[in-house]
Amino acid sequence: MSDFAEPLARLIDELKRLPGIGQKSAQRIAFHLLRDSPEVAKRLAAAIIDAKEKIRLCSLCNNFTERDPCRICSDSARDHSVVCIVETPYNALSVERTHEFRGLYHVLHGALSPLQGIGPEQLKLKNLMERLKNGDVKELIIATNPTVEGEATAIYISKLLKPLGIRVTRIATGVPVGSELEFADEVTMLKAIEGRREL
Amino acid sequence: MPLREGEAIVLRTYRLGEADKIVSLFTRPFGRLRAAAAGAQRARTRYGGTLEPLSYIRVWFYERENRDLVRINSTELVESFFDMQKDYRMQVAAQYVAEVAERFFPERQANDRAFRLLLGVLRAMKRSGELGAPLLYFDYWLLRLEGFLPDLTRCAACGRVLDDGGYYGPASEGLCCADCRTPTTPRAVAASALELAESARGVTPEQWLGTSKPAAVCAAARRFLEDLIEAHAEKKLITRELLDAGV
């Protein structure tokens, strides 16, 4: 039998399903919500429902959006000849925070991961190919994570796009800014050497 | 809480919270372990690329009594298989090896021969760029080391030499000849495939890859051995489906 009253136990169980929330955090959030005024809980519930109902995937880039096409895809001031391919919507946000990239995005919603059963069919590649058909895109920047899964995805996409003759580039990998070389492992250092540039 | 040290192969990792990872390690001195790596998801992680799947590393970790997870203190890369897995086919093959190892090797049981097998097969794949022959070698030796490999030369029922190949089924303990075949042993395996599989006995992966092998015979031998592996794993292997799909 649960230590908590049934509605409270149910709330904790639901909170525990969220990423990064364990039993203790779920209990803390649940008790916080109970202590707070009913309006706070209602606002939170309404915000979750509202987001779930109104947010969908952009038919062009697969990013989360309220309107289709999304704000970025429909912005005529942006460079529509460059598309940056990322694994997740928050990866797009990381690139966007640089304020340097003025092109468009394409979100794959994953990376090739055989052990998780994610193959090419599970990635959002179909509408990428359709996007490239009209010939407006001149460069694709592959910004998948520098992990085994991200690298395999990058190589897979570059092979897929080779026949189209579009320039395909990969974001640089190597030593992070602010770190010391003596702490870099061999793989990271090798990537940094491979990706060196002329000064 | 003593600091322990050993060589290990990273089998797979899972995200834990916002910044950490759970790492499944196959260590040489302690067998398979699950470890927590604090901050491993961060861009400036102290583990760098050492915790990428199939990395051969030296690991230092703390172990607390009554805790399943050990805590990684530091790692050092011995050999990387990162670039090899840039090719999706090789990634699937490498992760097949990891999936089978996770399924077969029990936690906290050192198995030096299995460790050398894993390393040898990964190195063979990396050097040759091939996956069929190294995986056949892996399948054969995995079953042999775990005691699941049946006699590939004689019928398990009557003892007759399997000159014309054999028959087996999902629940069969060994191979049987055409005369002893029953409805429970519907699958056939050719004599050439059995002979090829048996030739992995007593040779290193390097010696094994030194001779060319007909692709069709190699595929038939793997199909048979991987059926056995799946039967003993009592679970469909995710990566095998992708390998069979000819990625």
Side-chain angles (χ1 to χ4, degrees), chain A residues 22-39:
Chain A
Q23 176 73 24
K24 289 261 167 60
S25 301
Q27 284 176 25
R28 211 172 297 135
I29 297 167
F31 282 113
H32 173 82
L33 288 170
L34 289 180
R35 268 196 304 268
D36 227 326
S37 67
E39 281 68 39

Side-chain angles (χ1 to χ4, degrees), chain A residues 94-159:
Chain A
S94 301
V95 180
E96 200 60 8
R97 277 202 207 108
T98 63
H99 303 294
E100 287 292 319
F101 180 68
R102 298 298 301 155
L104 307 180
Y105 294 95
H106 188 89
V107 185
L108 296 172
H109 287 275
L112 294 175
S113 178
L115 270 175
Q116 288 176 42
I118 304 176
E121 300 78 28
Q122 280 70 41
L123 301 181
K124 303 263 183 208
L125 287 169
K126 210 172 162 189
N127 63 343
L128 173 67
M129 301 306 282
E130 281 163 19
R131 252 178 120 174
L132 302 176
K133 270 183 193 160
N134 62 12
D136 288 346
V137 179
K138 303 286 179 244
E139 183 181 356
L140 279 169
I141 303 170
I142 305 182
T144 50
N145 289 326
T147 56
V148 161
E149 291 82 4
E151 285 291 327
T153 308
I155 299 292
Y156 183 86
I157 293 172
S158 69
K159 282 183 185 167

Side-chain angles (χ1 to χ4, degrees), chain A residues 20 112-115 117-120 146-149 151-152 155 159 176-179 185-188 190-191 194, chain B residues 11-12 15 17 43-44 47-50 52-53 77 80 82-83 85-88 91-92 95 98-99 238-239 242:
Chain A
L112 294 175
S113 178
L115 270 175
I118 304 176
T147 56
V148 161
E149 291 82 4
E151 285 291 327
I155 299 292
K159 282 183 185 167
V177 175
S179 66
D185 66 287
E186 292 87 331
V187 181
T188 309
L190 179 70
K191 297 285 159 207
E194 279 174 0
Chain B
L11 297 179
R12 69 186 296 187
R15 283 162 179 254
R44 247 190 273 172
Y47 308 110
T50 58
E52 284 303 305
L77 189 72
S80 170
F82 188 100
D83 279 346
Q85 294 176 81
K86 275 182 178 176
D87 178 74
Y88 180 51
Q91 187 200 15
V92 175
Q95 295 202 359
E99 187 181 10
I238 304 167
T239 46
L242 294 167

Side-chain angles (χ1 to χ4, degrees), chain B residues 101-122:
Chain B
E102 267 214 312
R103 196 73 199 163
F104 272 78
F105 305 142
E107 279 196 38
R108 294 172 194 269
Q109 273 187 35
N111 189 339
D112 192 62
R113 295 179 78 187
F115 188 88
R116 282 189 283 126
L117 171 66
L118 239 67
L119 201 55
V121 167
L122 290 172

Side-chain angles (χ1 to χ4, degrees), chain A residues 57-131:
Chain A
L57 296 186
C58 170
S59 58
L60 293 175
C61 71
N62 307 314
N63 207 343
F64 289 129
T65 181
E66 195 179 351
R67 61 171 196 216
D68 191 17
C70 69
R71 183 180 52 80
I72 294 175
C73 287
S74 51
D75 185 349
S76 57
R78 295 188 76 114
D79 184 354
H80 285 236
S81 69
V82 185
V83 174
C84 179
I85 300 179
V86 291
E87 288 181 22
T88 60
Y90 28 91
N91 290 156
L93 205 62
S94 301
V95 180
E96 200 60 8
R97 277 202 207 108
T98 63
H99 303 294
E100 287 292 319
F101 180 68
R102 298 298 301 155
L104 307 180
Y105 294 95
H106 188 89
V107 185
L108 296 172
H109 287 275
L112 294 175
S113 178
L115 270 175
Q116 288 176 42
I118 304 176
E121 300 78 28
Q122 280 70 41
L123 301 181
K124 303 263 183 208
L125 287 169
K126 210 172 162 189
N127 63 343
L128 173 67
M129 301 306 282
E130 281 163 19
R131 252 178 120 174

